[in-house]
Amino acid sequence: MTSTSPAGLLRDPGSSNRSTLLELLFDVFYVATFAQLSMHLAGDLTWRGVGQNAILLLAAWWTWSVTSLATDFFDPRRRVIRGVIASTMFGVGLMTAAIPNAFGAQGLLFAGAYVGIHVVRGVLLIGALRGHLAQVRVERFLFWFVLSGVLWLAGGLVDPAWRAALWAGALVVDYVSAALRYPTPRLGRVPLDQYERLSSHFGERYQQITILIIGDLVLASTLKLSVAEFSTARVVVFLAAISAALLLWQIYVFRTDLFVARAVHKHPLRAVRLASYIYAVLVAGVIAMTAGVDLVLRHPFGTPRASWVALVVGGAALFVLGRVIFEYALLGRISRSRVGWLVLMIGVAPALTPLAPIFVVIASVGILLGITLTDAWRGRHDASDR
């Protein structure tokens, strides 16, 4: 079997599971994407703005997750797969550039880039597989992306007032078809055994993108502080943001290696089918918190606003919730301590609304610190978790 044969495109179970340098470069493109999304959210906190940002976020995240799934099934060292990754980078760059005005004049650019990413990937893979059984898998994916692509492109062409509805419908097609294993006329669904072709590469990819997501909080805070007038209050908020990033990292990595091992060896089907949905919650949480910190850095002692509290506290809560769901999905257990902290976050949020924004950020960091200390206690004393 040669590397240029269709079968040679499939990932060899005995090969290295480390991410390639091109995959890491692909992830770097998302640093700009996450930054754009957090700035876009901070710029429009109306219900309409939040809804629009959610659509853009889910589209960007789906592009990353589907590409990651492809590089776990196919060998990213092969020329064709490198071409798929490279072409996706161009599309992600265009999508990212279009985010600020995606619901304005750049709607067709955003939609065209999104559709182009998925269609080009499908065409390249189908041509390279040339009758191999895996070609049917790609055809299923392509069929559904073409269907949703009609809604994406239509949304880019119509009046912005109708765009959100069409794009939301397109996302429903994308996310639900994946959940149903891409049922396709004459081809059926993706066989369950194909979801069990999971390697530790899959877990590593999600760990890497999560670190970059958390890094957006550091990046955005640093850039905002560098252009703002320095003051003691802004420096305090900045240091609190750095602390929050470190604590989010600690909350995420707590026994993550154990979860990845369980995913690969015991629950590969569950991990592959749920990861994209669960991690969307974590991503949304960090972007919301980043947007909130951005606003607080502008006005540390500004007029208290419930929307700012919702971003900072709610963003942290979303991240922790995603991590709780992650643990439950792979281990079948609920972390009672983290659920207790989540309840505290929700309960304390209304009490934080009258306070100056700087104290909202500090309080959120305090709660995140409480979670990490509780985790440390669990790590030492709860032998049943090991």
Side-chain angles (χ1 to χ4, degrees):
M1 181 186 301
T2 66
S3 63
T4 57
S5 68
L9 294 179
L10 303 184
R11 175 181 286 277
D12 182 356
S15 65
S16 173
N17 290 320
R18 299 299 302 271
S19 299
T20 65
L21 294 178
L22 186 61
E23 289 177 281
L24 297 178
L25 179 61
F26 171 67
D27 288 353
V28 170
F29 274 65
Y30 273 83
V31 173
T33 304
F34 299 141
Q36 286 276 47
L37 288 168
S38 60
M39 289 188 294
H40 184 268
L41 178 59
D44 187 356
L45 289 181
T46 64
W47 285 110
R48 182 187 65 178
V50 172
Q52 291 177 351
N53 203 75
I55 289 172
L56 300 176
L57 164 61
L58 291 175
W61 174 246
W62 199 242
T63 299
W64 183 91
S65 61
V66 173
T67 303
S68 178
L69 182 61
T71 57
D72 194 69
F73 190 83
F74 299 104
D75 190 342
R77 297 172 301 173
R78 303 309 180 196
R79 182 176 301 173
V80 172
I81 309 305
R82 293 202 304 266
V84 168
I85 298 172
S87 65
T88 303
M89 290 182 188
F90 284 99
V92 171
L94 291 173
M95 287 175 61
T96 301
I99 284 175
N101 205 22
F103 284 89
Q106 302 302 327
L108 187 58
L109 176 61
F110 183 89
Y114 179 88
V115 174
I117 286 171
H118 300 296
V119 171
V120 168
R121 179 182 58 244
V123 171
L124 289 176
L125 288 176
I126 289 173
L129 290 168
R130 298 191 303 273
H132 189 275
L133 184 61
Q135 179 181 340
V136 180
R137 170 191 174 94
V138 179
E139 289 173 348
R140 295 187 184 99
F141 280 59
L142 182 59
F143 173 83
W144 284 100
F145 278 122
V146 169
L147 286 184
S148 71
V150 173
L151 294 175
W152 280 108
L153 294 175
L157 291 169
V158 301
D159 185 275
W162 294 95
R163 187 167 297 165
L166 287 170
W167 284 1
L171 285 172
V172 170
V173 173
D174 288 335
Y175 277 73
V176 173
S177 63
L180 297 177
R181 294 187 285 126
Y182 296 100
T184 307
R186 295 187 297 158
L187 300 179
R189 302 172 186 244
V190 177
L192 289 174
D193 60 358
Q194 291 190 13
Y195 289 96
E196 296 176 350
R197 293 174 50 94
L198 183 66
S199 67
S200 57
H201 168 269
F202 184 82
E204 182 177 300
R205 296 292 294 122
Y206 274 86
Q207 289 177 335
Q208 289 164 349
I209 197 64
T210 302
I211 298 305
L212 286 181
I213 293 166
I214 295 174
D216 178 52
L217 178 57
V218 178
L219 174 64
S221 301
T222 303
L223 293 177
K224 180 59 64 176
L225 180 65
S226 67
V227 298
E229 181 180 350
F230 270 73
S231 67
T232 302
R234 287 195 174 96
V235 172
V236 169
V237 174
F238 172 75
L239 295 176
I242 301 298
S243 301
L246 291 170
L247 292 169
L248 290 175
W249 171 80
Q250 184 60 49
I251 290 169
Y252 174 76
V253 301
F254 180 69
R255 293 181 177 166
T256 299
D257 290 342
L258 170 63
F259 299 149
V260 172
R262 292 288 181 91
V264 173
H265 301 295
K266 292 189 176 183
H267 305 297
L269 176 63
R270 189 182 306 171
V272 171
R273 299 193 65 189
L274 295 179
S276 298
Y277 303 92
I278 295 174
Y279 273 78
V281 179
L282 278 82
V283 175
V286 177
I287 288 176
M289 191 172 191
T290 302
V293 170
D294 182 301
L295 293 168
V296 175
L297 274 168
R298 297 182 201 177
H299 308 287
F301 288 103
T303 303
R305 300 184 185 182
S307 58
W308 294 15
V309 176
L311 286 177
V312 176
V313 181
L318 273 179
F319 185 90
V320 176
L321 174 63
R323 185 59 174 73
V324 168
I325 297 173
F326 174 51
E327 183 173 345
Y328 176 75
L330 293 185
L331 300 183
R333 296 200 298 265
I334 292 286
S335 171
R336 295 181 180 178
S337 62
R338 290 189 172 185
V339 171
W341 284 109
L342 276 173
V343 172
L344 176 62
M345 283 184 181
I346 297 172
V348 78
L352 295 176
T353 302
L355 301 180
I358 185 175
F359 298 116
V360 175
V361 175
I362 293 173
S364 298
V365 171
I367 294 174
L368 293 176
L369 177 61
I371 296 174
T372 59
L373 293 176
T374 305
D375 287 345
W377 182 88
R378 286 172 56 200
R380 290 194 302 267
H381 301 284
D382 192 355
S384 64
D385 275 354
R386 296 177 182 174

Short mmCIF file of all heavy atoms in Angstrom, two decimals, residues 87-115:
data_model
loop_
_atom_site.label_atom_id
_atom_site.label_comp_id
_atom_site.label_asym_id
_atom_site.label_seq_id
_atom_site.Cartn_x
_atom_site.Cartn_y
_atom_site.Cartn_z
N SER A 87 -6.64 24.84 2.42
CA SER A 87 -7.79 25.53 1.83
C SER A 87 -8.76 26.01 2.90
O SER A 87 -9.37 27.08 2.77
CB SER A 87 -8.51 24.60 0.84
OG SER A 87 -9.08 23.48 1.51
N THR A 88 -8.87 25.24 3.97
CA THR A 88 -9.74 25.64 5.07
C THR A 88 -9.20 26.90 5.74
O THR A 88 -9.98 27.76 6.19
CB THR A 88 -9.85 24.51 6.10
OG1 THR A 88 -10.35 23.33 5.45
CG2 THR A 88 -10.82 24.89 7.23
N MET A 89 -7.89 27.04 5.82
CA MET A 89 -7.30 28.25 6.41
C MET A 89 -7.74 29.49 5.65
O MET A 89 -8.08 30.52 6.26
CB MET A 89 -5.77 28.15 6.40
CG MET A 89 -5.19 27.14 7.36
SD MET A 89 -3.38 27.17 7.26
CE MET A 89 -2.97 25.74 8.27
N PHE A 90 -7.71 29.41 4.32
CA PHE A 90 -8.15 30.55 3.52
C PHE A 90 -9.61 30.90 3.83
O PHE A 90 -9.97 32.08 4.00
CB PHE A 90 -8.00 30.25 2.03
CG PHE A 90 -6.59 30.32 1.52
CD1 PHE A 90 -5.83 29.17 1.36
CD2 PHE A 90 -6.00 31.54 1.22
CE1 PHE A 90 -4.52 29.23 0.90
CE2 PHE A 90 -4.70 31.63 0.76
CZ PHE A 90 -3.95 30.46 0.59
N GLY A 91 -10.44 29.87 3.91
CA GLY A 91 -11.84 30.12 4.21
C GLY A 91 -12.06 30.71 5.58
O GLY A 91 -12.85 31.64 5.76
N VAL A 92 -11.34 30.18 6.58
CA VAL A 92 -11.46 30.70 7.95
C VAL A 92 -10.99 32.15 8.00
O VAL A 92 -11.60 33.00 8.69
CB VAL A 92 -10.65 29.84 8.93
CG1 VAL A 92 -10.58 30.49 10.30
CG2 VAL A 92 -11.27 28.44 9.04
N GLY A 93 -9.93 32.47 7.26
CA GLY A 93 -9.47 33.85 7.22
C GLY A 93 -10.52 34.79 6.68
O GLY A 93 -10.75 35.88 7.22
N LEU A 94 -11.21 34.36 5.61
CA LEU A 94 -12.27 35.20 5.04
C LEU A 94 -13.45 35.31 5.99
O LEU A 94 -14.03 36.40 6.15
CB LEU A 94 -12.71 34.61 3.70
CG LEU A 94 -11.70 34.70 2.54
CD1 LEU A 94 -12.21 33.94 1.32
CD2 LEU A 94 -11.44 36.16 2.18
N MET A 95 -13.83 34.21 6.60
CA MET A 95 -14.93 34.25 7.57
C MET A 95 -14.61 35.21 8.71
O MET A 95 -15.46 36.02 9.11
CB MET A 95 -15.19 32.84 8.13
CG MET A 95 -15.86 31.88 7.17
SD MET A 95 -15.99 30.22 7.89
CE MET A 95 -17.02 30.53 9.33
N THR A 96 -13.39 35.13 9.22
CA THR A 96 -12.99 35.98 10.34
C THR A 96 -13.02 37.45 9.96
O THR A 96 -13.49 38.30 10.72
CB THR A 96 -11.58 35.58 10.82
OG1 THR A 96 -11.59 34.20 11.22
CG2 THR A 96 -11.14 36.45 11.98
N ALA A 97 -12.51 37.76 8.77
CA ALA A 97 -12.52 39.15 8.31
C ALA A 97 -13.93 39.69 8.14
O ALA A 97 -14.17 40.89 8.30
CB ALA A 97 -11.76 39.25 6.99
N ALA A 98 -14.87 38.80 7.82
CA ALA A 98 -16.25 39.22 7.56
C ALA A 98 -17.09 39.33 8.83
O ALA A 98 -18.20 39.89 8.79
CB ALA A 98 -16.92 38.25 6.58
N ILE A 99 -16.61 38.82 9.96
CA ILE A 99 -17.43 38.77 11.18
C ILE A 99 -17.99 40.13 11.59
O ILE A 99 -19.19 40.24 11.90
CB ILE A 99 -16.62 38.13 12.33
CG1 ILE A 99 -16.57 36.61 12.14
CG2 ILE A 99 -17.24 38.46 13.69
CD1 ILE A 99 -15.69 35.88 13.15
N PRO A 100 -17.20 41.21 11.63
CA PRO A 100 -17.75 42.48 12.11
C PRO A 100 -18.95 42.97 11.30
O PRO A 100 -19.81 43.67 11.85
CB PRO A 100 -16.57 43.44 11.99
CG PRO A 100 -15.35 42.58 12.05
CD PRO A 100 -15.75 41.33 11.34
N ASN A 101 -19.02 42.65 10.02
CA ASN A 101 -20.11 43.13 9.18
C ASN A 101 -20.83 41.98 8.48
O ASN A 101 -21.38 42.15 7.40
CB ASN A 101 -19.57 44.11 8.14
CG ASN A 101 -20.62 45.09 7.65
OD1 ASN A 101 -21.63 45.33 8.33
ND2 ASN A 101 -20.41 45.64 6.47
N ALA A 102 -20.83 40.82 9.14
CA ALA A 102 -21.46 39.64 8.54
C ALA A 102 -22.97 39.83 8.38
O ALA A 102 -23.59 39.24 7.49
CB ALA A 102 -21.17 38.40 9.37
N PHE A 103 -23.56 40.63 9.26
CA PHE A 103 -24.99 40.88 9.14
C PHE A 103 -25.25 42.23 8.47
O PHE A 103 -26.32 42.81 8.60
CB PHE A 103 -25.66 40.82 10.52
CG PHE A 103 -25.83 39.40 11.00
CD1 PHE A 103 -24.83 38.78 11.73
CD2 PHE A 103 -26.98 38.69 10.70
CE1 PHE A 103 -24.98 37.47 12.16
CE2 PHE A 103 -27.14 37.38 11.13
CZ PHE A 103 -26.13 36.77 11.86
N GLY A 104 -24.23 42.67 7.74
CA GLY A 104 -24.35 43.87 6.92
C GLY A 104 -23.89 43.57 5.52
O GLY A 104 -24.36 42.62 4.89
N ALA A 105 -22.93 44.36 5.04
CA ALA A 105 -22.52 44.25 3.64
C ALA A 105 -21.68 43.01 3.35
O ALA A 105 -21.53 42.64 2.18
CB ALA A 105 -21.72 45.50 3.26
N GLN A 106 -21.11 42.37 4.37
CA GLN A 106 -20.22 41.23 4.14
C GLN A 106 -20.89 39.89 4.39
O GLN A 106 -20.21 38.88 4.59
CB GLN A 106 -18.98 41.36 5.04
CG GLN A 106 -18.19 42.63 4.84
CD GLN A 106 -17.70 42.78 3.41
OE1 GLN A 106 -17.40 41.81 2.74
NE2 GLN A 106 -17.63 44.02 2.94
N GLY A 107 -22.20 39.85 4.33
CA GLY A 107 -22.90 38.60 4.59
C GLY A 107 -22.57 37.51 3.58
O GLY A 107 -22.36 36.34 3.95
N LEU A 108 -22.52 37.86 2.32
CA LEU A 108 -22.24 36.86 1.29
C LEU A 108 -20.80 36.36 1.40
O LEU A 108 -20.53 35.18 1.13
CB LEU A 108 -22.49 37.44 -0.10
CG LEU A 108 -22.41 36.44 -1.26
CD1 LEU A 108 -23.39 35.30 -1.06
CD2 LEU A 108 -22.67 37.15 -2.59
N LEU A 109 -19.88 37.22 1.81
CA LEU A 109 -18.50 36.80 1.99
C LEU A 109 -18.40 35.75 3.09
O LEU A 109 -17.73 34.72 2.93
CB LEU A 109 -17.61 38.00 2.32
CG LEU A 109 -16.14 37.69 2.63
CD1 LEU A 109 -15.46 37.04 1.43
CD2 LEU A 109 -15.40 38.95 3.06
N PHE A 110 -19.06 36.00 4.21
CA PHE A 110 -19.02 35.05 5.32
C PHE A 110 -19.65 33.72 4.89
O PHE A 110 -19.06 32.65 5.10
CB PHE A 110 -19.77 35.62 6.53
CG PHE A 110 -19.72 34.73 7.74
CD1 PHE A 110 -18.68 34.85 8.66
CD2 PHE A 110 -20.70 33.78 7.96
CE1 PHE A 110 -18.63 34.02 9.78
CE2 PHE A 110 -20.66 32.95 9.08
CZ PHE A 110 -19.62 33.07 9.99
N ALA A 111 -20.84 33.80 4.30
CA ALA A 111 -21.54 32.58 3.89
C ALA A 111 -20.78 31.83 2.81
O ALA A 111 -20.66 30.60 2.84
CB ALA A 111 -22.95 32.92 3.41
N GLY A 112 -20.25 32.57 1.83
CA GLY A 112 -19.52 31.93 0.75
C GLY A 112 -18.27 31.22 1.24
O GLY A 112 -17.93 30.12 0.78
N ALA A 113 -17.57 31.85 2.19
CA ALA A 113 -16.37 31.22 2.75
C ALA A 113 -16.73 29.96 3.52
O ALA A 113 -16.06 28.93 3.40
CB ALA A 113 -15.65 32.21 3.67
N TYR A 114 -17.81 30.02 4.30
CA TYR A 114 -18.24 28.85 5.07
C TYR A 114 -18.61 27.69 4.15
O TYR A 114 -18.15 26.56 4.33
CB TYR A 114 -19.43 29.23 5.95
CG TYR A 114 -19.96 28.08 6.78
CD1 TYR A 114 -19.44 27.80 8.03
CD2 TYR A 114 -21.00 27.29 6.31
CE1 TYR A 114 -19.92 26.75 8.79
CE2 TYR A 114 -21.50 26.24 7.06
CZ TYR A 114 -20.96 25.97 8.30
OH TYR A 114 -21.45 24.93 9.05
N VAL A 115 -19.43 27.98 3.16
CA VAL A 115 -19.85 26.93 2.23
C VAL A 115 -18.66 26.42 1.43
O VAL A 115 -18.50 25.21 1.22
CB VAL A 115 -20.95 27.46 1.28
CG1 VAL A 115 -21.30 26.42 0.22
CG2 VAL A 115 -22.19 27.84 2.09
#
